[in-house]
């Protein structure tokens, strides 16, 4: 059977982002030798030999010691007019989706090094669709490079090796199921569907990375809002509403407005709504699935540059504060991916976009502001601005009827001290929701570690002159205190907070490396999928 192109599965129109090197992904039942790929990668487990469809030269890599069975170990040979890469997958029983992503990144790097443009992945018998999909994710995530501001001259000069242009991006990835890998070929859990979903969601994560990496003089709150509007223009089931400074004030969002008042840039309250093709329960038509689950609410912090305001940050690494909009980028791209996949869930998303800058108009330490739910807040540190933006955005999500709320924010440096970059910090008022998020993180490799919320932490955020203090002087349990503050704005609605300050950039995993990671996109899509059963 010829390769089936999956590059447009689930899309309603052309993509609004212009990422370089978008990888075309397809599946085939042909062995790698029979495809038009210039390079074939073959996976091998400890104690096993390559499958019988591979040429003898591949097996000789192992017998000669040029290749090994251990995870990520690579060997290269040439046969039948193709390059053949052998990648070790380790022990069969220890191969997880995350290890497959890591192996894919190693293969991708070597493949580009040897000039590969079309790669066929022949991972071995019975690896399963989950592993194949993870390999696709790892490949696409590893292929991303931020090149928006690279001039043609510098890009060409940097790509010169021995007088020839080095291949910088993979053009095609073909997943071969000729040996029975991937299981059933049809249905939502079949290989084609898994691969299509993995490719689409990985591209969405890369699109979030493109937003994250853009400098603050380019990606202003208005630019982010325009991007969301463009997405809604492409996707029929997605709508967006954008309100500026006047609209934010009219909604009584005094906390959000206080953060934004120091900047000349217009803030943006971005509200996205997704209704599945089948509508609510009982409204489905032929070929569609109606949504019967709760109305999900995703909330993202999008401070496009955070100087700290009057409570100015140190100059060292302040340039990284362009990444303070990472939660908003993840939410926007996750919603777009969910809509493109046509998942039978109902979803509303709220993103608060603003700059936090010092000026004669800026909110000052000691000022008291009033959030949309009437709660008064002492602003004792203007660099604890994210919780002010989120406070009003959470109120808005509740007012819109969200029945399960998840917010993502680069909120505290304390989470990096506690968890490093390995885990995001998860805090929740609902065990069932927290368990769903933890499970979704485990499946996607975007793992979260739950930290406690206890009523004693509420004592730490009590204000002296207002209801709440946005930055208690005690400096205890900084990440948890941030979540305790946010919990005051969701009422009884099941809610979870993900502090992604350690995970949003410089994550260091093999398939994302330095710079923006797109953390949260794949987790949120998987969380939404968990409500589709």
């Amino acid at each position: 059977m010829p390769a089936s192109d999956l590059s447009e599965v689930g899309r309603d129109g052309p993509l609004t982002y212009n990422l370089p090197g978008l990888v075309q992904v397809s599946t085939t039942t042909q062995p790698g030798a029979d495809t038009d790929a210039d390079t074939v990668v073959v996976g091998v487990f400890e104690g096993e030999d390559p499958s019988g469809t591979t040429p003898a030269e591949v097996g000789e890599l192992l017998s000669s010691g040029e290749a090994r069975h251990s995870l990520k170990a690579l060997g290269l040979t040439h046969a039948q007019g193709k390059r053949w890469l052998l990648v070790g997958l380790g022990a069969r029983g220890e191969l997880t989706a995350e290890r497959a992503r890591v192996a894919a990144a190693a293969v991708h790097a070597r493949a580009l090094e040897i000039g590969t443009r079309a790669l066929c992945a022949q991972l071995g018998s019975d690896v399963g669709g989950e592993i194949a999909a993870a390999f696709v994710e790892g490949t696409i995530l590893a292929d991303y490079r931020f090149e928006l501001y690279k001039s043609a001259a510098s890009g060409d000069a940097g790509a010169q090796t021995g007088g020839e242009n080095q291949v910088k991006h993979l053009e095609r990835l073909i997943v071969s199921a000729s040996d029975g890998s991937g299981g059933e070929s049809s249905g939502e859990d079949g290989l084609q569907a898994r691969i299509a979903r993995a490719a689409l969601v990985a591209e969405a994560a890369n699109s979030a990375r493109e937003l994250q990496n853009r400098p603050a003089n380019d990606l202003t709150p208005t630019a982010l809002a325009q991007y969301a509007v463009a997405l809604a223009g492409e996707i029929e089931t997605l709508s967006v509403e954008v309100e500026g400074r006047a609209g934010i004030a009219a909604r009584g969002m005094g906390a959000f407005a206080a953060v934004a008042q120091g900047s000349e840039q217009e803030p943006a309250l971005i509200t996205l709504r997704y209704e599945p093709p089948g509508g609510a329960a009982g409204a489905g038509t032929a070929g569609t699935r109606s949504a019967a689950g709760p109305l999900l609410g995703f909330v993202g912090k999008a401070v496009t540059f955070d100087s700290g305001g009057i409570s100015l940050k140190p100059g060292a690494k302040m340039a990284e504060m362009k990444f303070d909009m990472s939660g908003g980028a993840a939410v926007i791209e996750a919603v777009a991916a969910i809509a493109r996949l046509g998942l039978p869930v109902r979803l509303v998303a709220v993103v608060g976009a603003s700059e936090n800058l010092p000026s004669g108009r800026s909110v000052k330490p000691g000022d008291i502001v009033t959030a949309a739910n009437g709660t008064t807040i002492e602003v004792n540190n203007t660099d604890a601005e994210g919780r002010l933006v989120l406070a009003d955005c959470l109120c808005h999500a509740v007012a819109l009827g969200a029945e399960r709320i998840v917010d993502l924010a680069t909120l505290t440096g304390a989470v990096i001290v506690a968890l490093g970059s390995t885990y995001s910090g998860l805090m929740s008022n609902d065990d069932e929701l927290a368990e769903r998020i933890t499970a979704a993180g485990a499946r996607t490799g975007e793992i979260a570690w739950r930290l406690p919320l206890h009523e004693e932490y509420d004592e730490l955020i009590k204000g002296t002159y207002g209801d709440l203090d946005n930055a208690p002087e005690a400096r205890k349990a900084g990440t948890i205190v941030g979540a305790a503050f946010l919990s005051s704005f969701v009422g009884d609605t099941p809610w979870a907070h993900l502090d992604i300050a350690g995970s949003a950039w410089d994550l260091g995993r093999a398939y994302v490396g330095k710079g923006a990671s797109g953390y949260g996109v794949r987790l949120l899509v998987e969380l939404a999928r968990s409500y589709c059963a």
Side-chain angles (χ1 to χ4, degrees), residues 6 9-10 25 129-130 133 136-137 140 187-204 289 337 340-341 343 522 525-526 529:
L6 303 175
V9 170
V25 182
E130 180 186 8
V136 169
E137 285 181 353
I140 292 175
E188 290 185 14
D189 293 324
L191 181 64
Q192 274 197 3
R194 283 178 179 267
I195 297 301
R197 186 166 61 237
L200 189 151
V201 177
E203 286 177 7
R289 292 181 297 162
R340 285 188 160 95
L341 291 169
L343 296 185
R522 293 180 296 123
V525 174
E526 186 63 22
R529 288 189 66 243

Side-chain angles (χ1 to χ4, degrees), residues 6 41 90 95 98 105 192 205 285 292 336 388 406 425 443 475 529:
L6 303 175
V41 59
L95 181 62
E98 182 64 9
Q192 274 197 3
T285 58
L388 300 179
V406 182
R443 290 192 293 271
R475 298 181 65 83
R529 288 189 66 243

Side-chain angles (χ1 to χ4, degrees), residues 396-461:
H396 192 41
V398 171
L400 292 171
E403 297 167 301
R404 303 287 189 279
I405 298 176
V406 182
D407 77 72
L408 277 77
T410 47
L411 203 71
T412 69
V415 77
I416 305 174
V417 176
L419 300 174
S421 295
T422 301
Y423 290 91
S424 65
L426 166 63
M427 288 134 282
S428 180
N429 64 3
D430 185 83
D431 290 342
E432 194 270 343
L433 178 58
E435 289 168 3
R436 279 184 185 265
I437 292 171
T438 300
R443 290 192 293 271
T444 58
E446 296 188 328
I447 51 180
W449 189 268
R450 190 176 184 185
L451 298 172
L453 283 179
H454 189 281
E455 60 187 14
E456 288 187 5
Y457 294 117
D458 295 336
E459 296 297 316
L460 296 177
I461 60 172

